[in-house]
Structure formats: C-alpha cells, structure tokens
Amino acid sequence: MGRPPQADGNISVRAVEPMPGYADLITRSCSALLSAFNECRGCGFELSKRTLLENAILTWSDILLFAVCAVGWTVLRQALSVYIFRPLGRWCALQPKDASKMPESVWKLLFYTASWSYSFYLLFFTQYTFFHDPPSAFYGWKRGMAVPTDIAVAYLIQGSFYGHAIYATLHMDAWRKDSAVMLLHHVITLALITFSYAFRYHNVGILVLFLHDVNDIQLEFTKLNVYLKNRAGVYHLLNDLVSNLGCVSFGTTWFWSRLYWFPLKVLYTTCVSSLQSVPNIPFYFFFNTLLFALTLMNIYWFLYIVLFVVKVLTGQMTEVNDVREYDIEDSRKTALHKKQHDRPHHNSWKERTRLKNGFVKDKRLKNGIVKDKRL
C-alpha cells in the first residue's frame, strides 16, 4: 500500500513504495483483479462503450499526425536502404543473404537507439519519477488531462513507428519463424500506445517503452556483427567476439528488463497501485489484459534465447548465427541439404566412373534443384 502524503508546512511529501517481489505481484494482483471483477456491476458492451466515449480523447489532428509520420518512417527507411544501407552492404562485401538483411538491422538499430535514449532522458534527467517510483505514474490522474509536450513527442514517434512496423513486417522485413508473433506484438504495442494516450495513461506508457527498447538495440547490434564476421571471404574474429558478447548481454538484459523490472514495476503498478490512486479506473481490465499478453510474448521469446544458449553449450551450435529470430528460408535450405546428404547413393558403374574422372551427372530435379556439372 502507498503511504498517504505527509504534510510538512506547505510541502506535501509522498514516500516511495519499495518494489515488490514476484510473490507480492502474484498474490496482490490476483486479489486486486478479483476484487475489481466482483465490484464491476453492470459490466458489458454498453458500459464499455459509454466509458470509452466519456474518457478516451483522441483528436483528428492526432490521427493525421500519426498517419503522416507512419508513412514518413516507411519512405525514410526505403530511401536510406536504397541510397545508404544497401551500398554499405556491398562495400563491406557481405555474403548475399547477410547483405539482404543488413538494411533492416541497421534501420532498427538507429531507431531504437534514438527512441530509447529519449526515454532514458525523460525518466532520469527530468522531473518524472516513474522509474524509481512507478505508482507515481497514476498520481493526480484526471480524465482528459493535458499530455506534457515531451511525452507527447515520444508517443507520436513510437506510435507512428509501430504503425510503420506492422506494414514493414508484412512487406519489407525478412519473414522468420517468429514473424507472426512479431506482428501480433506490433499490433498489441500499437493498441497500448494508442489507448494509453487516449485515456491519459501516458506516464506508465513511457516506462513500458523504456524497458523494451533497450533489448532491441542489443539484438540488432549483435545481428549486425553476425553479418559482418564473414565479409569479403575473410573471417573477422573481432566481430565474432562482439556477437558472442552481445548474445550474452542480450539474454541477460532481456530477463532483467522484460521479465523482472517489467512485471514488478509495470504490471504491479497497473494492477494494484492504479486502483489505489484512481478507484474505478477506466478500462482497467482491457489494459492489464494487453500488458499480460505482452508479458507472455516476452516469455515466449525468452524460451527462444534459452534454447539458443543450450544449443551453444551442448555443442549443437559452434557459433552465433542469429539471435531470437531464425530465417524460414535458411531452415528449409538446411533441412533440404540434410535430406540430400542422408539419401543413399546407388550410382551405376558408368556414373561411378564419371565421378572418378571428376564429373557428376547434370540432372534437373523435379523440385528445381540443379546439380553442378563439375566437382
């Protein structure tokens, strides 16, 4: 429970609530959710519709700015890819598959570095205390309250970027095994950004963005070093070492920021502290459902990371080839290569003689694969 303000003359001081543990999160969140559910009389579509109309504030100028910036991100990425990122990949003499994926990683690295740096500035170099005292995110909340300009700018940047990211995942990025989950992540994130802005829950929203963007920086930086370690036909030890260190750092900070700080700072605040500051807070179940879905996706991706580390430790993988995301096309090629390798060979005497002389049979298979004419 947060302590009540303590008066000292004309100054009101509120004690900072210590961060809870996992046990407190589970027990008190379940208790708060159950209590709120039992007290929700007349809940249903009509009440939700009325609450949305009475509390959500989103102007047409907000929507227009979002659309313009989302298109702007797409145009900017395409221009940078054509005139800078792809030529840079050719200049580095990357392998073709790495050169095709490098522009995506460079783009995301630049964006997440800039956006996380701005969130870091807001949380540690301004008057906002949401990181050190998460319950303060709901102090003084009022329906339709003004959004500070510096936070509104962060919301416009992040919201429009995730609008662009939904399009990019479908039409610009390499499709991977977790791309469907990534697409769902972008949709949930955009919904959280949009509705938290409309309902003026922007304070806790900045904390959510800060805790997630740092991992994307490390992910893309590590992937770039994976691409750069084999260039111009030469193996580069430095990039290999950096990618290995980046993998360890990525997994560690993923757990710390998304599975430790995020649930204990954000989920506890939205489930428990929000009701203490704002009884009958609008769309309480809606926002917490989205945040719990985000937590489940964080756990899902963390299992990918653990599986990756286990493969490295058990010798199933001898080097870092990718992190969290595994290309479907590469997986198909690997499986096809293994299938061809394991297939028993029943060469005729004539074919064995040609192999001995340095030739192989030129044959086009039904699946479109062509064997080389010479070894």
Side-chain angles (χ1 to χ4, degrees), residues 175-179 326-333:
W175 189 261
R176 301 176 172 92
K177 285 185 177 180
D178 70 339
S179 290
Y326 301 90
D327 293 348
I328 286 181
E329 188 64 27
D330 290 345
S331 300
R332 288 175 177 169
K333 289 179 179 178

Side-chain angles (χ1 to χ4, degrees), residues 8-294:
D8 183 11
N10 294 325
I11 301 176
S12 179
V13 180
R14 189 188 297 266
V16 176
E17 184 176 345
M19 193 171 71
Y22 286 113
D24 291 329
L25 170 67
I26 295 173
T27 57
R28 300 188 66 180
S29 294
C30 290
S31 176
L33 288 166
L34 184 61
S35 177
F37 180 78
N38 292 331
E39 294 176 1
C40 187
R41 296 180 178 87
C43 292
F45 176 77
E46 290 300 326
L47 178 60
S48 298
K49 179 181 177 181
R50 186 168 65 251
T51 303
L52 178 66
L53 295 175
E54 293 177 353
N55 293 275
I57 298 178
L58 199 64
T59 65
W60 283 108
S61 60
D62 294 330
I63 298 173
L64 180 61
L65 276 174
F66 162 81
V68 169
C69 290
V71 174
W73 288 123
T74 305
V75 173
L76 178 61
R77 173 178 171 175
Q78 184 64 27
L80 290 175
S81 296
V82 171
Y83 295 107
I84 298 179
F85 300 156
R86 291 173 188 166
L88 180 61
R90 291 192 293 268
W91 181 79
C92 292
L94 299 180
Q95 297 181 10
K97 66 174 184 177
D98 295 335
S100 65
K101 293 183 289 186
M102 191 200 75
E104 175 188 342
S105 290
V106 176
W107 165 254
K108 291 180 179 179
L109 176 63
L110 292 175
F111 174 81
Y112 286 120
T113 300
S115 63
W116 182 81
S117 299
Y118 186 57
S119 299
F120 183 86
Y121 162 76
L122 290 177
L123 291 174
F124 295 96
F125 293 95
T126 63
Q127 74 276 17
Y128 304 122
T129 60
F130 314 137
F131 181 83
H132 300 292
D133 185 21
S136 66
F138 289 98
Y139 294 166
W141 178 89
K142 294 180 181 179
R143 182 182 62 183
M145 61 188 294
V147 180
T149 302
D150 48 7
I151 292 182
V153 169
Y155 258 72
L156 176 61
I157 292 172
Q158 292 274 6
S160 60
F161 180 82
Y162 278 101
H164 149 77
I166 292 174
Y167 171 83
T169 301
L170 292 171
H171 301 288
M172 301 178 74
D173 297 346
W175 189 261
R176 301 176 172 92
K177 285 185 177 180
D178 70 339
S179 290
V181 180
M182 180 66 73
L183 185 62
L184 178 63
H185 167 272
H186 293 340
V187 172
I188 291 178
T189 302
L190 181 59
L192 279 169
I193 291 174
T194 303
F195 283 95
S196 64
Y197 180 84
F199 281 89
R200 300 309 190 246
Y201 301 148
H202 47 272
N203 293 341
V204 74
I206 290 296
L207 185 56
V208 173
L209 294 171
F210 169 77
L211 293 176
H212 283 73
D213 284 353
V214 64
N215 303 123
D216 293 301
I217 297 173
Q218 294 172 306
L219 172 65
E220 302 306 334
F221 179 75
T222 301
K223 288 168 65 176
L224 281 175
N225 279 278
V226 170
Y227 304 151
L228 291 170
K229 69 182 180 182
N230 291 305
R231 58 183 189 273
V234 179
Y235 168 77
H236 294 266
L237 177 61
L238 178 60
N239 295 112
D240 193 17
L241 291 175
V242 172
S243 65
N244 288 327
L245 292 174
C247 180
V248 174
S249 174
F250 171 70
T252 302
T253 57
W254 184 282
F255 174 82
W256 194 261
S257 64
R258 297 197 181 200
L259 301 181
Y260 180 68
W261 273 342
F262 177 70
L264 299 186
K265 285 181 176 291
V266 175
L267 290 181
Y268 184 86
T269 298
T270 57
C271 287
V272 180
S273 304
S274 62
L275 289 176
Q276 297 172 356
S277 299
V278 189
N280 299 320
I281 186 169
F283 271 48
Y284 172 81
F285 292 105
F286 174 77
F287 282 105
N288 281 296
T289 299
L290 292 181
L291 290 171
F292 273 107
L294 194 58

